[in-house]
Amino acid sequence: MSQLSHDSSILVIGGGTWGCATALQLARQGYKNVTVLDAHPIPSPISAGNDVNKIMEEGIPSEDDDEESYVWNRLFQLATEAWKSDPVYSPFYHATGFVMAASSPEAGKHVDSYIKSCKSPIRRLDTPEAFRATMPPGILTGDFPNWKGFIRPEGAGWVFARGALEAAYNEACRLGVRFVTGESKGNVERLVYSDSDVLGALTSDGVEHRADRTILCAGANSDRIFDFEKQLRPTAWTLAHIQMTEDERVQWRDLPVLFNVERGFFMEPTTRTGELKFVDEHPGYCNFIHDHSINAERSVPLARQQIPVDAEARARRFLRETVPQIADRPFTFARVCWDADTPDRVFLIDQHPKYSRLLVAVGGSGMGFMTMPAVGIQVVNALEGQMEPQLKKAFRWRPEMAVGRDWRDTQDRFGADGEVMDLQQVKGWTNVDNSRQPR
């Protein structure tokens, strides 16, 4: 294997959240020959990061942390530094605070665990009046049935996701990164191998893109390109938008995030179109098929700008419990949003043990966007062999954890009927006019 230098050719497969963050960090650290492949123009319409907002939580590691808590708090610390001070990322972080709740004793234990680990001041919320008081009068008008939780006024908020993704892409381009996109030129069909290593990737136009190092960070589609030995389960969540009035856009500005681990969440309307995004919370959807090539069941991502009718019903239930005055408005946008779960929901960022020229950066597990800047740093650290020991251990290639994996494990997620659902078995899909993409 050739020695890594700033002149080495580096191929990044995937131009989504982690691909753009990685490309930017590589360019910032002096790598001069970086190419990114993606089947869609940036930002890709199927990228989980191509979204109006994502929840953001700050964190600081401490001596009292166990191993897992240290890893997350260290990532949150690095990400927070970027979201607050990096000129590429900082325009998009809104530190508005965070309301978290549950509606049942079982899920309430999850909320209580969060409270114990939280290093920022919190205030308990035990009544509908207490929840309604977290926002200006006239916004939260629901009954909040059985809701119990807290507000974290500082150290949390939300990120304008699409803006951050575009900013990272634009800065990477300015620094010399080459992006090759399109259904033919940028779509990776497979990796290219020698007898003993990975040499790059083959795209749909028949071109072999060879490189000294290949970084695979294609999100939920990574499992299609490479055998992860059951370490990845492509899992989808469902989101929708409704249109707010001009007066509501002003009234709802700078709100704390409202998140019930069994019902859903929303943040303030996007400034670009005044649409309110909301999500129904559940353990996830998979698209289970029988893969005859491996004679086994697997989940395969399915791009769709609709959501199941059951997801719409859950989303409207969440709105009726919190903001019933807007709960019946028509959807202006909806889509299925994919990520990939590792067995323990901890990222997988490591050089492959068999293919020394291949580095994998996958397994966002629902936590990938808030830590976007930190992930870019860790991918380059892994490439250079400079990752902190605690993070290296946590993010290692670990197929032993996926032996006998239960594809329907809820992984400590709540909502719906408490089960992972199958897109092959949905009762029907919403009818949403998606003639325009919300921007």
Side-chain angles (χ1 to χ4, degrees):
M1 181 176 67
S2 60
Q3 186 174 0
L4 184 69
S5 74
H6 285 165
D7 293 319
S8 298
S9 56
I10 301 176
L11 182 67
V12 179
I13 301 175
T17 301
W18 287 13
C20 284
T22 296
L24 173 60
Q25 190 64 24
L26 285 166
R28 282 178 158 179
Q29 292 191 205
Y31 291 92
K32 304 170 187 176
N33 189 3
V34 179
T35 300
V36 180
L37 301 177
D38 198 283
H40 301 276
I42 313 299
S44 164
I46 65 170
S47 169
N50 189 0
D51 196 358
V52 294
N53 46 40
K54 300 286 189 184
I55 296 173
M56 167 60 192
E57 300 173 52
E58 301 177 19
I60 300 175
S62 71
E63 295 179 355
D64 298 331
D65 289 338
D66 58 28
E67 286 188 12
E68 184 175 347
S69 296
Y70 174 86
V71 167
W72 286 117
N73 281 321
R74 177 61 174 145
L75 277 182
F76 292 155
Q77 180 185 42
L78 293 170
T80 300
E81 291 172 359
W83 290 123
K84 287 187 170 182
S85 61
D86 189 314
V88 170
Y89 295 110
S90 61
F92 307 104
Y93 177 38
H94 301 259
T96 58
F98 177 70
V99 175
M100 185 177 185
S103 300
S104 71
E106 180 184 4
K109 294 176 184 177
H110 179 84
V111 175
D112 290 339
S113 176
Y114 185 100
I115 291 172
K116 291 177 182 178
S117 65
C118 185
K119 296 178 172 65
S120 300
I122 62 101
R123 185 174 76 251
R124 292 270 189 175
L125 305 171
D126 296 317
T127 66
E129 293 77 14
F131 281 99
R132 290 195 286 264
T134 61
M135 298 187 189
I139 295 179
L140 299 180
T141 61
D143 293 333
F144 293 86
N146 300 314
W147 282 49
K148 303 291 181 183
F150 65 91
I151 182 170
R152 180 182 178 182
E154 300 176 354
W158 61 275
V159 174
F160 174 34
R162 183 180 298 117
L165 185 58
E166 291 173 335
Y169 162 70
N170 289 331
E171 180 65 5
C173 289
R174 189 187 72 81
L175 294 175
V177 174
R178 176 174 171 253
F179 284 79
V180 179
T181 63
E183 294 182 0
S184 179
K185 293 183 178 181
N187 183 52
V188 172
E189 294 284 348
R190 60 176 176 82
L191 298 182
V192 175
Y193 297 87
S194 67
D195 292 337
S196 59
D197 221 325
V198 169
L199 303 180
L202 175 73
T203 46
S204 296
D205 59 357
V207 174
E208 287 190 358
H209 300 261
R210 298 199 173 202
D212 297 316
R213 301 290 189 278
T214 297
I215 301 173
L216 176 55
C217 52
N221 284 308
S222 299
D223 189 52
R224 175 184 64 83
I225 300 170
F226 187 71
D227 180 11
F228 281 89
E229 302 180 54
K230 294 189 176 182
Q231 291 179 88
L232 293 187
R233 182 190 70 183
T235 311
W237 284 267
T238 41
L239 64 89
H241 298 180
I242 55 177
Q243 186 64 52
M244 307 296 282
T245 68
E246 288 296 325
D247 288 343
E248 287 168 341
R249 291 172 67 172
V250 174
Q251 184 188 21
W252 291 49
R253 190 175 298 157
D254 298 326
L255 300 182
V257 175
L258 180 67
F259 175 40
N260 182 306
V261 299
E262 296 171 274
R263 295 290 186 261
F265 64 85
F266 70 75
M267 287 155 264
E268 67 181 81
T270 171
T271 56
R272 290 189 178 183
T273 63
E275 288 171 292
L276 182 77
K277 168 198 160 182
F278 49 96
V279 172
D280 65 304
E281 193 66 19
H282 51 72
Y285 283 95
C286 289
N287 184 40
F288 288 119
I289 66 167
H290 186 84
D291 187 334
H292 294 283
S293 67
I294 58 174
N295 193 29
E297 184 183 57
R298 65 186 302 185
S299 177
V300 178
L302 168 69
R304 192 148 187 172
Q305 290 189 352
Q306 293 174 301
I307 60 174
V309 292
D310 287 347
E312 176 177 359
R314 289 190 298 268
R316 293 196 185 280
R317 176 186 181 182
F318 165 60
L319 295 179
R320 283 194 297 272
E321 291 187 1
T322 58
V323 286
Q325 69 273 26
I326 64 171
D328 295 322
R329 291 185 190 177
F331 290 173
T332 56
F333 179 76
R335 76 159 169 150
V336 174
C337 181
W338 288 90
D339 203 347
D341 285 325
T342 62
D344 55 1
R345 292 183 63 187
V346 176
F347 303 158
L348 174 53
I349 304 174
D350 197 7
Q351 178 179 296
H352 192 272
K354 179 179 179 181
Y355 303 111
S356 60
R357 293 168 61 169
L358 174 66
L359 189 143
V360 296
V362 294
S365 303
M367 304 286 283
F369 198 94
M370 74 171 71
T371 55
M372 173 185 179
V375 167
I377 294 170
Q378 296 312 314
V379 173
V380 179
N381 284 349
L383 186 71
E384 298 177 337
Q386 300 295 324
M387 191 181 289
E388 298 174 29
Q390 298 96 322
L391 302 187
K392 181 177 176 59
K393 178 182 178 182
F395 298 159
R396 72 191 184 281
W397 179 264
R398 49 192 189 280
E400 69 279 2
M401 295 192 66
V403 174
R405 183 174 185 181
D406 177 7
W407 287 127
R408 288 164 175 79
D409 180 9
T410 61
Q411 298 196 292
D412 199 30
R413 295 187 177 109
F414 303 92
D417 293 324
E419 298 177 349
V420 172
M421 296 164 285
D422 188 351
L423 289 176
Q424 294 285 332
Q425 299 177 5
V426 301
K427 300 174 182 178
W429 296 82
T430 57
N431 293 313
V432 182
D433 179 10
N434 286 321
S435 58
R436 64 176 181 83
Q437 289 281 343
R439 300 297 295 173

